[in-house]
Amino acid sequence: MRILVLNSGSSSIKYEVFEIDNWSVLASGLIEKIGGQGTYLVHKVHLDNSEYRFELELPGVDHRRGFAAIQEELAKEKRLNPAAIGHRVVHGGEAFSSPVRITPQVIDVIRELIPLAPLHNPSNLLGIEIAMESYSHVPQVAVFDTAFHQSMPAYASHYPLPLELYEEHHVRRYGFHGSSHSYVSRTAADYLGIPLDRFNCIILHLGNGASACAVKNGVSVDTSMGMTPLEGLVMGTRCGDIDPAITFYLERHAGLDVNEIDNMLNKESGLKGLCGTNDMRELIAAREKGEERAVLAFELYCYRLKKYIGGYLAALGRVDCLIFTGGIGENSMKVRESSCQGLERFGIAIDPEKNGQQRAGVREISLEGAEVKVLVVPTNEEAEIAIQTLAVLGDELEDR
């Protein structure tokens, strides 16, 4: 039985087909630059212990035509026909604290939430609507990035603003990367043999977007991203935490309007704003050459990580492990080393030899005997969406 996972972005569509008997990936693919030049469908099939890759040029394609091309490729192999479809949806607001079967009413609520995620929810919704038309007889599920963090207590989710802004305009902290945080916390608990409902950890999901999460007894109690994915850690092009009065200063003294400030904070800040690149590999190479801007960017990035680790150590009290995940978290030994340096008194110490090793799967990089385990856990948000889709539809899929 197969589950198709779809992630429809503003200019891309990503997908994977999972065989739920063993959670193997039977097919995967990506369309990027939708609506622009140089648009290709890259489609991979993994069947019968072999793999083939197919590329199709799609000049000027829109989401609807792109999805039709994906469906056509999947239809060529009967074993790729999905029994269910799981969709990534970035923002579920307070309406959704868990994945849900998609109905017309659910679609209406996702549409109402567009003001909370104007860059993401419209394209997520478009992917849902196209898939509902194309696979009208296949049950489909929405899995929300924000749902995992709905367990945050009010003192962690609220901003110290007039309460009317929350009551009337839903201004509060929601958090993101929920599928990743859910997947890696459960994976780490299994690896360490600790029941999830007694498992405490700090997760650092570090990619071009980055977020920290404090997990207590298996559920999220705090996270670094807020009402939008702009708050929190330093990211590839996003600034993370800053003094909000900077925006007023830029308007009054630099002559920037709201749209220019929005674009700068989201797309021209973070590592890119500090040193000209949002690629951590390029940044580290420049740092090793002694380039001052790269040195500053790296030190600032890791310093902010260390501050969040310390804050969540205090918030949780007891921590079983610190987890690094995401492209940077999984691959940059330098970031892991620097962000943990000096935390030995809090039970966090990295073994340099283990930290320098690269291998598949979960790996432990803490010093032998350290109080807090430090793990590198590869994330798999698509697999988590498939797992949650099955959890919603389990009995229904058994009957199909």
Side-chain angles (χ1 to χ4, degrees):
M1 194 177 299
R2 277 94 32 210
I3 293 177
L4 168 62
V5 172
L6 287 172
N7 181 353
S8 177
S10 58
S11 61
S12 66
I13 304 173
K14 300 177 186 177
Y15 61 94
E16 289 193 23
V17 179
F18 290 87
E19 173 55 65
I20 66 173
D21 290 340
N22 56 12
W23 296 112
S24 60
V25 177
L26 304 182
S28 61
L30 169 68
I31 302 178
E32 291 185 295
K33 300 180 182 178
I34 291 175
Q37 300 297 318
T39 306
Y40 283 84
L41 164 63
V42 178
H43 177 69
K44 299 177 183 178
V45 176
H46 321 270
L47 290 171
D48 303 323
N49 297 316
S50 63
E51 176 181 312
Y52 75 83
R53 173 189 173 104
F54 172 80
E55 290 191 13
L56 175 66
E57 187 174 6
L58 300 170
V61 72
D62 59 11
H63 279 77
R64 189 170 297 278
R65 288 174 55 209
F67 191 84
I70 292 169
Q71 187 179 12
E72 183 177 342
E73 290 307 314
L74 294 177
K76 290 178 180 178
E77 173 58 65
K78 264 190 174 183
R79 287 176 289 176
L80 299 181
N81 290 336
I85 299 176
H87 295 265
R88 179 196 180 211
V89 181
V90 166
H91 217 306
E94 291 182 301
F96 302 106
S97 59
S98 59
V100 295
R101 169 81 182 260
I102 297 173
T103 65
Q105 292 75 26
V106 168
I107 289 174
D108 289 342
V109 176
I110 296 173
R111 184 173 289 109
E112 291 170 6
L113 292 170
I114 284 176
L116 292 176
L119 300 178
H120 299 91
N121 271 31
S123 51
N124 299 158
L125 184 59
L126 180 59
I128 289 172
E129 291 174 332
I130 294 172
M132 293 287 282
E133 294 172 10
S134 303
Y135 290 98
S136 58
H137 301 297
V138 174
Q140 305 192 31
V141 170
V143 179
F144 302 91
D145 281 7
T146 51
F148 183 65
H149 304 296
Q150 285 298 297
S151 52
M152 285 193 295
Y155 57 76
S157 65
H158 278 261
Y159 290 113
L161 296 168
L163 199 57
E164 292 78 11
L165 292 176
Y166 165 67
E167 294 169 340
E168 298 174 17
H169 302 288
H170 313 291
V171 175
R172 54 154 286 184
R173 304 182 68 249
Y174 292 97
F176 299 87
H177 292 144
S179 295
S180 175
H181 290 304
S182 175
Y183 180 85
V184 300
S185 59
R186 189 178 62 252
T187 301
D190 288 344
Y191 176 84
L192 294 173
I194 301 173
L196 186 60
D197 62 2
R198 297 207 299 269
F199 182 59
N200 290 9
C201 69
I202 299 167
I203 305 168
L204 300 175
H205 175 111
L206 308 178
N208 194 49
S211 66
C213 182
V215 173
K216 186 172 186 177
N217 297 328
V219 300
S220 172
V221 294
D222 204 351
T223 190
S224 57
M225 285 180 169
M227 181 170 172
T228 75
L230 185 59
E231 185 181 354
L233 301 171
V234 177
M235 297 173 239
T237 65
R238 294 175 227 159
C239 60
D241 295 336
I242 62 169
D243 180 347
I246 291 172
T247 58
F248 314 139
Y249 180 85
L250 292 174
E251 182 182 16
R252 293 168 185 155
H253 297 279
L256 301 180
D257 64 29
V258 170
N259 291 329
E260 289 172 322
I261 294 172
D262 188 342
N263 183 74
M264 180 187 69
L265 297 182
N266 277 288
K267 298 181 180 179
E268 301 297 332
S269 297
L271 297 177
K272 181 180 179 182
L274 288 167
C275 69
T277 180
N278 61 329
D279 188 316
M280 182 59 74
R281 294 163 297 186
E282 295 177 5
L283 188 157
I284 289 174
R287 169 179 173 261
E288 290 175 350
K289 294 177 183 176
E291 295 182 17
E292 290 185 10
R293 293 181 63 175
V295 171
L296 171 63
F298 183 83
E299 290 180 348
L300 196 161
Y301 183 90
C302 294
Y303 175 68
R304 291 287 186 91
L305 287 176
K306 190 178 298 185
K307 285 176 67 176
Y308 266 95
I309 294 170
Y312 287 167
L313 281 168
L316 291 171
R318 176 186 62 80
V319 176
D320 295 304
C321 75
L322 170 65
I323 302 169
F324 287 90
T325 192
I328 295 172
E330 294 168 31
N331 296 300
S332 179
M333 59 174 287
K334 297 288 188 182
V335 167
R336 296 192 297 263
E337 176 186 52
S338 182
S339 57
C340 291
Q341 199 167 32
L343 297 178
E344 292 82 5
R345 70 185 67 183
F346 303 108
I348 295 174
I350 286 182
D351 183 313
E353 183 177 348
K354 292 178 183 176
N355 189 38
Q357 295 172 352
Q358 289 285 357
R359 57 182 175 81
V362 179
R363 61 190 192 273
E364 185 177 331
I365 61 171
S366 43
L367 274 175
E368 190 71 32
E371 182 181 349
V372 178
K373 299 290 187 183
V374 182
L375 303 180
V376 178
V377 181
T379 192
N380 194 330
E381 293 172 274
E382 289 75 20
E384 180 66 13
I385 291 170
I387 290 167
Q388 294 194 28
T389 298
L390 179 61
V392 171
L393 299 174
D395 291 339
E396 182 176 348
L397 290 185
E398 290 294 328
D399 296 336
R400 291 176 67 85

